[in-house]
Amino acid sequence: MSEDFYEVLGVTRDASEEDIQQAYREKAREYHPDVSDDPDAEQKFKKVKKAKEVLNDEEQRQLYDQLGHDRY
């Protein structure tokens, strides 16, 4: 799974908050540790959750877009 938060959620950089929320819900259902058989489900779920938290917060998203993933 990619580290870039946009790629983690499968959305574009100009995605709206609704698009991000919808993508999060789909990925959360897919990777939730109680549902998924994937041995890395818990780690993937945590990445998806972190991506949503950053991209849904306007200030954090601007900072993330400016600095990039590695420096964020």
Side-chain angles (χ1 to χ4, degrees), residues 39-64:
D40 297 326
E42 185 174 357
Q43 286 302 106
K44 290 178 181 179
F45 181 75
K46 287 179 182 179
K47 284 183 185 180
V48 168
K49 185 176 179 184
K50 179 66 175 173
K52 182 204 56 120
E53 290 172 358
V54 170
L55 297 181
N56 264 348
D57 182 294
E58 192 172 325
E59 287 181 30
Q60 288 187 39
R61 184 174 181 176
Q62 286 178 355
L63 187 61
Y64 180 79

Side-chain angles (χ1 to χ4, degrees), residues 1 6 8 23-26 28 30 34 36-37 44 54 58-59 69:
M1 181 173 260
Y6 292 101
V8 167
Y24 167 73
R25 287 183 181 136
E26 290 173 13
E30 182 179 348
D34 291 343
S36 179
D37 292 334
K44 290 178 181 179
V54 170
E58 192 172 325
E59 287 181 30
H69 185 79

Side-chain angles (χ1 to χ4, degrees), residues 4-24 26-27 51-52 55-56 61:
D4 180 73
F5 290 153
Y6 292 101
E7 290 180 23
V8 167
L9 292 176
V11 297
T12 61
R13 292 198 173 273
D14 62 347
S16 68
E17 284 187 35
E18 285 182 28
D19 294 338
I20 292 168
Q21 188 65 30
Q22 180 66 29
Y24 167 73
E26 290 173 13
K27 295 288 185 177
K52 182 204 56 120
L55 297 181
N56 264 348
R61 184 174 181 176

